[in-house]
Amino acid sequence: MESVSESTPPARETAIDWAAYRKDFPILDQQVHGHPLVYLDNAATSQKPRAVIDSLVRYYERDNANVHRGIHELSNRSTDAFEAARKRAARFINAPAPEEIVFTRGATEAINLVASAWGNANLKAGDVILLTEMEHHSNIVPWQLLAEKTGAILRYLPITADEHILDLSKLDEVLTDDVKLFSMVHISNALGVVNPVAELCEAARKKGVVTLVDAAQSAGHCPLDVQEIGCDFLVVSGHKMCAPTGIGFLFGRAERLNRMPPYHGGGEMIATVDYFKSTWNQIPHKFEAGTPDISGPIALHVAMDYLDKIGRENLFKHDKELSQYAYDRLAEVSGCRLYGPKQGRAGLVSFMLDDVHAHDVVTIADRYGVALRGGHHCTQPLMKKLGVPSTARASFYFYNTHAEVDRLIDVVHEIKKFFGS
Ligand code: 7TS
């Protein structure tokens, strides 16, 4: 009898037809200022494939009705699709149960929900909220608001001076017994650093510290498993992963969500209301007051299916390869300073050209049809730490190509010529 190894052919990697996926994005096929559009602003928001756009039209043409409250056919269809999206979101991040998914407007609202509902109920003066030095404003300001109210204190895990990665040698120093919450970004939108969130959550869990992972930049770019990460909360932004703007979600472990007071009051989030006292609905509805965005989760469902059809390992590999290529080519440009790690970065590069302001870099790039982003990227404290007012950023997705990176490099040379540097 043949052994299994003899009879099983070696696994072959099927080549992915990225060009075919690119064709799913009608917006990419256009000229900007007389040049083919090169869209490299995906960390701000991704483009949307035809299937997602069509799902919005289909919903409004055929199924539109308010959810949960109706008994009529359209309302039932709408409710079923809305709740199916919740189940899909749970599966997307391997959450144990759909009730652990709360739909929000995006990552920002999800963090504010936790800061407000969990934070106000659980923090007192002197408690420490631990963040990292590379957080987006949406993972800083909600905690500052909470600290002002409760007397809690903010503390930061530092980044290293050379490659701007988290300085894990300082973890024990900052993760002390008075820390109650550790909230950390998974992939930095300004540096492209991929943080070891499972390791950080494990260290926090050992000390009984509640954890939140900001997966705004990672959910649509790499595999994500909340059980493997071991976090209490995780926030996702739909518009950065092929879904429309205005939809995202919070994952919260059921035992945490069950013990949290509501966030907003109104319809849907209640079990009973009388003139002076109300009781709350079950999770997740307790946190979804009022008529929600309905078409958003439905389109997000299509986006999640779309991404998983490609495979998030494949997406991650593609994005990382492209950003490494961009990093290496930019590193060859004289006077170009790069931020973040030299290797192993996610799909974006942050850079500065000599003394040219990032806004000028972006303005001139736009004249050549190349869409970049320049500024502080909502990470002002990080910019201060890096000693720059801003950076220019090119951020990639699976529809971007090596030829587009080459175009970026050509444009960078044009910009240098323009400024005589
Ligand atoms: N967290 C990170 C790491 C982000 O990059 C962003 C948005 C947010 C949270 C906020 O997400 P939202 O769902 O509320 O939009 N980042 C960016 C950016 O880099 N450029 O524009 C928005």
Side-chain angles (χ1 to χ4, degrees):
M1 207 173 96
E2 269 186 341
S3 77
V4 174
S5 62
E6 276 163 354
S7 63
T8 312
R12 267 195 304 147
E13 266 195 52
T14 12
I16 294 168
D17 189 354
W18 296 107
Y21 286 116
R22 184 182 169 96
K23 288 207 183 86
D24 292 336
F25 292 77
I27 202 169
L28 296 175
D29 184 20
Q30 63 172 293
Q31 302 268 315
V32 168
H33 304 308
H35 299 276
L37 168 65
V38 175
Y39 185 79
L40 301 180
D41 195 17
N42 294 287
T45 199
S46 78
Q47 298 302 349
K48 324 300 173 199
R50 172 66 72 196
V52 168
I53 299 167
D54 287 350
S55 72
L56 292 169
V57 175
R58 200 167 50 239
Y59 169 72
Y60 283 113
E61 280 185 352
R62 294 199 328 217
D63 302 327
N64 176 51
N66 211 333
V67 287
H68 298 138
R69 290 163 229 182
I71 312 178
H72 62 80
E73 170 65 18
L74 295 193
S75 176
N76 287 339
R77 270 193 234 155
S78 206
T79 305
D80 287 350
F82 183 76
E83 291 303 328
R86 195 189 306 280
K87 282 197 189 121
R88 183 65 182 90
R91 192 150 57 82
F92 194 70
I93 57 166
N94 198 28
E99 307 85 77
E100 297 179 308
I101 304 295
V102 177
F103 286 120
T104 61
R105 283 190 290 128
T108 304
E109 190 182 38
I111 297 172
N112 275 280
L113 191 164
V114 177
S116 174
W118 179 86
N120 279 309
N122 287 283
L123 292 192
K124 57 178 192 321
D127 286 344
V128 174
I129 299 165
L130 182 60
L131 307 170
T132 82
E133 281 184 343
M134 62 173 84
E135 298 306 321
H136 187 277
H137 294 168
S138 59
N139 198 23
I140 298 176
V141 183
W143 307 115
Q144 290 176 341
L145 292 171
L146 177 65
E148 266 171 37
K149 260 196 193 165
T150 57
I153 298 158
L154 300 189
R155 185 185 290 161
Y156 292 87
L157 177 61
I159 57 170
T160 60
D162 49 355
E163 295 208 50
H164 316 126
I165 58 174
L166 290 179
D167 186 350
L168 297 182
S169 72
K170 300 276 175 20
L171 186 60
D172 286 346
E173 216 174 283
V174 293
L175 193 58
T176 48
D177 290 341
D178 44 5
V179 175
K180 292 291 178 302
L181 175 97
F182 186 6
S183 187
M184 70 205 79
V185 70
H186 189 190
I187 292 180
S188 156
N189 69 315
L191 297 168
V193 176
V194 186
N195 287 323
V197 286
E199 195 184 317
L200 295 173
C201 288
E202 192 187 359
R205 202 167 50 247
K206 278 190 185 146
K207 297 206 135 216
V209 173
V210 173
T211 49
L212 185 150
V213 173
D214 175 356
Q217 294 292 347
S218 59
H221 291 262
C222 62
L224 208 56
D225 181 332
V226 289
Q227 299 189 54
E228 220 171 84
I229 294 172
C231 53
D232 291 285
F233 300 104
L234 179 135
V235 303
V236 171
S237 172
H239 70 95
K240 295 183 200 291
M241 44 178 271
C242 294
T245 49
I247 187 64
F249 60 85
L250 164 71
F251 157 78
R253 283 175 48 212
E255 61 264 40
R256 295 258 174 244
L257 294 179
N258 275 325
R259 277 187 274 138
M260 278 157 58
Y263 175 43
H264 290 151
E268 268 314 300
M269 48 74 70
I270 50 83
T272 63
V273 178
D274 78 16
Y275 283 120
F276 301 102
K277 183 102 189 100
S278 303
T279 58
W280 315 134
N281 202 340
Q282 306 278 329
I283 62 164
H285 309 294
K286 180 169 78 173
F287 298 106
E288 293 179 354
T291 299
D293 178 3
I294 303 165
S295 61
I298 290 170
L300 175 64
H301 189 160
V302 175
M304 291 186 285
D305 284 349
Y306 184 88
L307 294 174
D308 277 346
K309 204 174 99 202
I310 304 174
R312 273 176 282 163
E313 290 92 354
N314 297 327
L315 292 180
F316 202 31
K317 212 170 138 206
H318 173 280
D319 292 358
K320 285 206 291 195
E321 200 187 295
L322 211 54
S323 76
Q324 189 65 49
Y325 178 61
Y327 185 94
D328 293 344
R329 291 225 49 201
L330 282 166
E332 288 165 2
V333 176
S334 70
C336 182
R337 267 176 293 150
L338 286 141
Y339 302 91
K342 290 188 178 65
Q343 301 278 330
R345 59 181 37 249
L348 64 94
V349 284
S350 254
F351 62 97
M352 282 285 273
L353 290 181
D354 294 320
D355 293 326
V356 185
H357 194 282
H359 284 157
D360 293 331
V361 172
V362 175
T363 305
I364 299 179
D366 177 58
R367 287 197 211 156
Y368 291 94
V370 177
L372 302 175
R373 189 153 290 249
H376 51 63
H377 313 295
C378 293
T379 56
Q380 283 185 18
L382 174 64
M383 294 292 128
K384 206 181 271 180
K385 181 92 187 179
L386 298 177
V388 289
S390 56
T391 69
R393 181 185 72 188
S395 53
F396 309 103
Y397 215 1
F398 57 90
Y399 38 69
N400 291 125
T401 64
H402 283 77
E404 288 181 314
V405 174
D406 292 340
R407 178 89 188 120
L408 167 68
I409 302 298
D410 289 346
V411 166
V412 162
H413 284 295
E414 289 300 326
I415 296 167
K416 277 172 64 71
K417 243 191 265 167
F418 185 87
F419 283 95
S421 61

